[in-house]
Amino acid sequence: MEFSTTWNDALRSFADELCRFETTAGNEQAAQRWLADTLEEWGFETYQWEADPEVLANHPSFPDDPTAIETAARPNVGGVLEFGNPDAGQTLVLNGHVDVVPAGNGWDADPFEPRWTDGDGETGETLTARGATDMKCGLAACVFAARHLASAEPAIDGRLVVESVVGEEEGGIGAAAAALENPYPFSRDAAIVAEPTQCRPVIATEGSLMKRLRLEGRSAHAATRWHGQSVLPPFERIRRAFDDLEAERGERVTHPLYEEFPIPWPVCVGRVEAGNWASSVPDELTAELRIGVAPGETVDEVEREFEQRLSTLVADDPFFDSNSPDFERFSIQFEPAEIDADEPIVRAVQDAMASVGLTATEPRGATYGADSRHYVHAGIPTVVFGPGDIQQAHFPEESIEWDDVLTAGETIATAASVFLTN
């Protein structure tokens, strides 16, 4: 299809411009307006929607309090191209999120001034910018895959929808809204979410449970610390108990797509804060955990398992006789999702991969969550497939190889053609 030859310069310019927008949470509007205008200029019919926090508050991924879900002035954009008699064919969604995590430290230059370099720091084919991998280049590949297919004037019936959604890093605000309340006057038959998968098809995504642990002890002067009750030893006992449960679950909860991972259902204590003065026994501690949930499990089931393990430890630990811990959900939850490897959209992606010379076509699982789960739960089979490596996501000096973007774009365009033709 000569995707790279035909579209390289235009795609490169589009991705570069998109990476210049600092689209951290709540700051996506300018980029989305630019994207909507650009899609309209290129012949897409555009739709826009904002999520309803009242609706999302009833969804298991989000906080129960609607005021804790920021949706105002955060538009989502869908661009539609129609072929032949669209109502006689199928509709395929190509989805990407425009929001990025904060840049943080460790960058060699402005993270929102894209740099194109080679291995020696000279001008080259590696793009470095916040969002380059996660996932603005994947979104750009979707836009140009749709344009490429349209330029071929295929003799098919159907629709392509390119979506740029917001709030993926906050549980999938835009995608959840699109799944729960269809913003289009037509149904959707399948989707591709172009998260970074190293151009391999992902059909199962892991869920995650976010829990906050609070412990209280008794303070004392450091010089007579034996009069106090430090929260650190009991916390370490809890941490070890959860490590043990992680290992047990890794042996007991099995899935054929997760055998390659050394820790298939990870438990990460991502934040710990304890004490308030170096010369005092620490009498309070807050820890925040992310707990993996396997496809086929539910967040509620895994939560009960960890709460039971904590209860068992507490019952046998004298520290907790007068200091009961608090262990509650916070933030957002990700339900796992999975589709069958025989779904037509999976076969279309695999056929397209073979046609462009990609050989790693076996479906995989991912230990992270993605917006794909919202579409899967709405009955829309969804494959995660895109350029770049997830290990670059959220990292300083986030980078992507441009050849991977071109390959992903050509593959997605071909997959769309295969799916809409069948």
Side-chain angles (χ1 to χ4, degrees), residues 338-354:
E338 182 177 12
I339 62 171
D340 194 283
D342 290 329
E343 285 284 353
I345 187 59
V346 179
R347 296 198 302 270
V349 170
Q350 291 173 315
D351 290 348
M353 293 175 66

Side-chain angles (χ1 to χ4, degrees), residues 382-394:
T382 303
V383 176
V384 186
F385 175 92
D389 189 336
I390 193 65
Q391 292 188 36
Q392 285 289 325
H394 303 191

Side-chain angles (χ1 to χ4, degrees), residues 38-61:
T38 302
L39 291 177
E40 289 179 357
E41 180 183 333
W42 287 340
F44 291 77
E45 181 180 5
T46 60
Y47 296 80
Q48 296 191 38
W49 68 96
E50 288 186 3
D52 183 342
E54 297 284 347
V55 172
L56 294 187
N58 292 315
H59 189 286
S61 281

Side-chain angles (χ1 to χ4, degrees), residues 28 181 188-189 281 285 293 309:
E28 306 97 341
E181 299 182 316
R188 298 150 295 175
D189 298 291
V281 171
L285 179 145
V293 181
R309 183 59 57 95

Side-chain angles (χ1 to χ4, degrees), residues 77-164:
V77 176
V80 179
L81 294 176
E82 296 188 336
F83 306 99
N85 179 3
D87 291 329
Q90 299 193 89
T91 295
L92 175 63
V93 176
L94 308 178
N95 170 280
H97 66 84
V98 74
D99 58 300
V100 300
V101 298
N105 299 319
W107 292 81
D108 292 341
D110 187 339
F112 296 101
E113 287 289 337
R115 287 170 281 142
W116 297 85
T117 59
D118 61 16
D120 297 321
E122 303 297 326
T123 300
E125 298 300 306
T126 300
L127 172 60
T128 300
R130 173 53 88 223
T133 297
D134 187 21
M135 58 168 292
K136 289 182 177 179
C137 284
L139 174 56
C142 289
V143 171
F144 278 78
R147 291 190 69 196
H148 182 53
L149 183 58
S151 71
E153 299 182 350
I156 57 177
D157 297 322
R159 295 184 186 86
L160 270 183
V161 181
V162 177
E163 286 184 346
S164 175

Side-chain angles (χ1 to χ4, degrees), residues 252-321:
R252 172 170 43 84
V253 182
T254 60
H255 192 292
L257 296 181
Y258 287 80
E259 293 174 353
E260 65 179 287
F261 298 106
I263 306 175
W265 328 120
V267 177
C268 177
V269 181
R271 177 180 173 272
V272 179
E273 183 176 347
N276 51 51
W277 186 248
S279 190
S280 297
V281 171
D283 64 342
E284 57 185 16
L285 179 145
T286 300
E288 294 177 347
L289 298 82
R290 187 265 197 196
I291 299 168
V293 181
E297 296 185 306
T298 68
V299 167
D300 288 347
E301 290 169 348
V302 175
E303 182 175 42
R304 286 194 293 270
E305 195 168 353
F306 277 82
E307 288 179 338
Q308 181 58 51
R309 183 59 57 95
L310 179 61
S311 295
T312 300
L313 183 147
V314 166
D316 296 333
D317 193 323
F319 175 89
F320 296 108
D321 289 347

Side-chain angles (χ1 to χ4, degrees), residues 190-203:
I192 298 172
V193 173
E195 289 277 10
T197 67
Q198 297 178 298
C199 288
R200 297 183 65 180
V202 169
I203 63 170

